[in-house]
Amino acid sequence: MGFQELWQLRAEFARRLSAMYGTEVPAYNTLVEVSTEVNQAHLRRHGAEAERLGSIDRVTAERHGAIRVGSERELAQVARVFAAFGMYPVGFYDLRDAAKAAVPVVSTAFRPVNPDELARNPFRVFTSMLAVEDTRFFDEPLQRELAAFFDRRELFGPELLELADQAAAGGGLDGTAAERLLDLATAAFELSSEPVDHDWYRRLEAISAVASDIGGVGSTHINHLTPRVLDIDALYAGMEARGIAMIDEIQGPPRWDGPDVLLRQTSFRALGEERLFRYADGSVGKGELRVRFGEVEARGIALTPAGRELYDRMVLEADARLAAAPALDRRSVARTVWEENLPRTEKELSIRGLAYFTYTANPDVPLAPDPVTLPELIQSGAAVPAPIVYEDFLPRSAAGIFQSNLTDEGSRNDAAQAAGYDMPRMSAIIGRPVHDPYELYQQQQDASVRALADALGVSIAPPAVTNTAAPAAGH
Ligand code: OOG
Ligand code: NI
């Protein structure tokens, strides 16, 4: 094996994690099989149209993983490991209040940030850190115990961290070092066979099953690995047909006959996995834990802040209508709200500035005199929009994914003070800026608009604000 660039390391890392997770959670292999069948069938039916949001090669290899760590030190280390694979922190997700159940974590996603790298391999890992400082979940004595526990354990050894730094600094590694990096990095996310301290685990579990999964064991592990499908409704039906019960719903936008936006996800519940426990009397015995599950997703177009604001309003509107008439079917209520509010075509989405696109020039369309606006060029057909795919996550779905796998709600003392975690703090912990996802999409769109202006030989006037109630970028 010769010199391996970051994207080659990333693609191989994703393949190895996938092979490992398949041996650990065999139902994952079924999920991948059904996903592949669904994607092939979709491609046969829709041809080139099926690849508008990513080539079939990209989509077939595409996965996201989820991991959870306990402390700031651990988060900083995991960021060094992911940097070796060209994966950088994007977005800040605060899941502490995003659901009814106790989900005491704050999160970011490590992923490639530029379009070429994403096209080569878009592997991303949703990474959560336990919000130990939040006294609504953890009282002071427990905070101290947790901090001491996390200080003692070692998730990533010095050799792995050093190789990771070398790869990041050199833009890759030569063959032997690359092999070693991949071995160590993959092993760091393997489920440990070490006995779990029973009483400590159960004590944390009473607060939140997420807390025990993170702080009750001596290492971290892949919590789920998610393939991407082009038709999630077909996938859902295919899994049920194979006797694998999925959660009741597909999270995110409803199915409708307009453009797919953002992200739709569904999962099957955590399966019982045999684990060893160490009891208070020192004895070791077999038991079972249910923490790892299978998830699958379909990706749509990235929304601008204005589009996201509209999306959030539609979600609230669907909630309100359901609350007023609980007998109605959630999906059809949501579909109606979508039909009333969201443009039905990509062209209209782009003209109204609700979603991100790149543009190519159609030289056959006559141009209006300079300066023209982008919406005018799109309207006339001189600029042809191609959607930019959403590469990130949704806090409500993420909290729902956590929640659907908790056996009980745990506890949160809402009278206590919430600790202040935010994006700047997350950046400080990681030691490099957490990217704002909107800025990344905007840069990609801007670059394409500049190229469009050159190709057409026009100057494009800066966009007028089309949405009167344009909000600040909402997360
Ligand atoms: C992460 C849950 C979030 C998603 O797809 O929204 C997530 C976790 O369970 O650790 O992966
Ligand atoms: Ni996920």
Side-chain angles (χ1 to χ4, degrees):
M1 193 159 78
F3 187 81
Q4 298 293 297
E5 291 181 37
L6 299 189
W7 76 266
Q8 293 170 306
L9 294 172
R10 177 169 68 254
E12 182 59 19
F13 184 42
R15 271 194 294 275
R16 290 193 189 196
L17 288 173
S18 184
M20 180 181 87
Y21 199 63
T23 60
E24 293 180 341
V25 180
Y28 164 78
N29 289 332
T30 309
L31 197 58
V32 171
E33 258 166 48
V34 179
S35 301
T36 308
E37 281 167 20
V38 164
N39 290 343
Q40 293 300 334
H42 193 82
L43 189 63
R44 278 195 301 276
R45 211 163 334 116
H46 298 275
E49 193 53 27
E51 298 188 277
R52 274 177 76 67
L53 289 164
S55 71
I56 191 69
D57 289 343
R58 171 189 153 156
V59 171
T60 305
E62 184 159 349
R63 300 284 184 278
H64 86 247
I67 61 153
R68 305 159 175 185
V69 298
S71 65
E72 299 187 4
R73 183 179 68 101
E74 291 178 354
L75 182 62
Q77 289 181 344
V78 91
R80 285 165 68 189
V81 172
F82 289 143
F85 300 103
M87 298 157 71
Y88 312 103
V90 182
F92 174 77
Y93 304 85
D94 191 341
L95 302 186
R96 292 175 295 164
D97 297 310
K100 205 152 76 356
V103 183
V105 299
V106 291
S107 315
T108 186
F110 289 88
R111 66 166 177 86
V113 291
N114 78 53
D116 297 343
E117 287 287 315
L118 284 159
R120 283 169 160 162
N121 183 287
F123 188 46
R124 51 176 90 73
V125 179
F126 192 90
T127 302
S128 301
M129 180 185 79
L130 195 66
V132 176
E133 278 175 24
D134 198 317
T135 48
R136 294 174 305 167
F137 303 101
F138 310 104
D139 63 19
E140 257 177 55
L142 189 54
Q143 285 180 348
R144 277 195 298 275
E145 278 181 86
L146 278 167
F149 182 84
F150 294 132
D151 281 346
R152 271 198 313 274
R153 78 177 181 184
E154 182 182 272
L155 302 184
F156 311 101
E159 189 189 356
L160 169 56
L161 292 172
E162 228 155 82
L163 280 170
D165 291 347
Q166 264 175 44
L173 285 177
D174 67 45
T176 324
E179 266 300 324
R180 185 75 185 143
L181 170 77
L182 285 160
D183 284 347
L184 292 172
T186 307
F189 297 105
E190 195 173 352
L191 193 70
S192 161
S193 53
E194 278 296 298
V196 175
D197 181 332
H198 179 269
D199 292 1
W200 171 238
Y201 192 93
R202 295 295 181 211
R203 208 173 124 208
L204 292 174
E205 199 178 29
I207 294 166
S208 157
V210 177
S212 55
D213 184 47
I214 298 173
V217 295
S219 63
T220 186
H221 47 253
I222 289 284
N223 170 266
H224 61 271
L225 204 58
T226 299
R228 178 170 161 197
V229 279
L230 297 171
D231 183 344
I232 198 167
D233 302 278
L235 179 285
Y236 191 98
M239 289 299 281
E240 298 254 305
R242 293 210 189 187
I244 298 187
M246 307 298 282
I247 61 169
D248 317 346
E249 276 176 5
I250 295 172
Q251 318 234 11
R255 180 186 192 92
W256 78 309
D257 57 16
D260 283 324
V261 299
L262 298 175
L263 178 65
R264 302 178 72 205
Q265 299 178 312
T266 189
S267 57
F268 60 77
R269 276 178 198 273
L271 306 169
E273 293 181 274
E274 191 177 282
R275 301 278 278 273
L276 291 177
F277 284 97
R278 179 172 292 109
Y279 296 94
D281 63 5
S283 66
V284 171
K286 281 185 188 157
E288 191 188 79
L289 288 182
R290 286 176 179 271
V291 285
R292 307 201 305 161
F293 55 91
E295 183 194 46
V296 64
E297 67 190 11
R299 290 187 171 268
I301 310 174
L303 295 182
T304 61
R308 180 54 183 269
E309 210 260 349
L310 173 59
Y311 172 80
D312 289 339
R313 265 191 283 129
M314 292 193 297
V315 169
L316 292 178
E317 174 63 22
D319 283 352
R321 289 189 195 180
L322 262 179
L328 295 179
D329 173 55
R330 195 193 78 90
R331 280 159 302 187
S332 56
V333 170
R335 194 177 310 121
T336 307
V337 173
W338 251 245
E339 285 163 359
E340 289 169 8
N341 292 281
L342 199 62
R344 276 186 189 263
T345 62
E346 289 180 4
K347 186 169 175 178
E348 208 190 325
L349 273 178
S350 65
I351 288 172
R352 286 181 50 192
L354 294 174
Y356 292 107
F357 294 86
T358 56
Y359 296 94
T360 47
N362 179 353
D364 300 337
V365 174
L367 293 170
D370 253 18
V372 286
T373 66
L374 183 60
E376 283 163 0
L377 290 172
I378 305 164
Q379 187 66 56
S380 71
V384 184
I388 296 179
V389 68
Y390 188 59
E391 306 284 358
D392 295 287
F393 293 85
L394 294 174
R396 184 166 155 140
S397 305
I401 294 290
F402 270 103
Q403 192 168 8
S404 65
N405 282 287
L406 303 182
T407 33
D408 73 35
E409 291 198 352
S411 57
R412 179 174 68 206
N413 172 12
D414 285 328
Q417 185 65 37
Y421 292 100
D422 56 16
M423 191 137 148
R425 169 119 187 248
M426 191 76 120
S427 301
I429 294 170
I430 290 173
R432 63 160 79 220
V434 174
H435 295 272
D436 177 342
Y438 291 119
E439 278 173 20
L440 298 175
Y441 298 123
Q442 187 69 49
Q443 281 163 14
Q444 189 181 351
Q445 175 167 297
D446 289 349
S448 126
V449 172
R450 282 193 301 272
L452 174 77
D454 285 351
L456 291 173
V458 294
S459 59
I460 297 177
V465 178
T466 48
N467 204 312
T468 44
H475 292 271

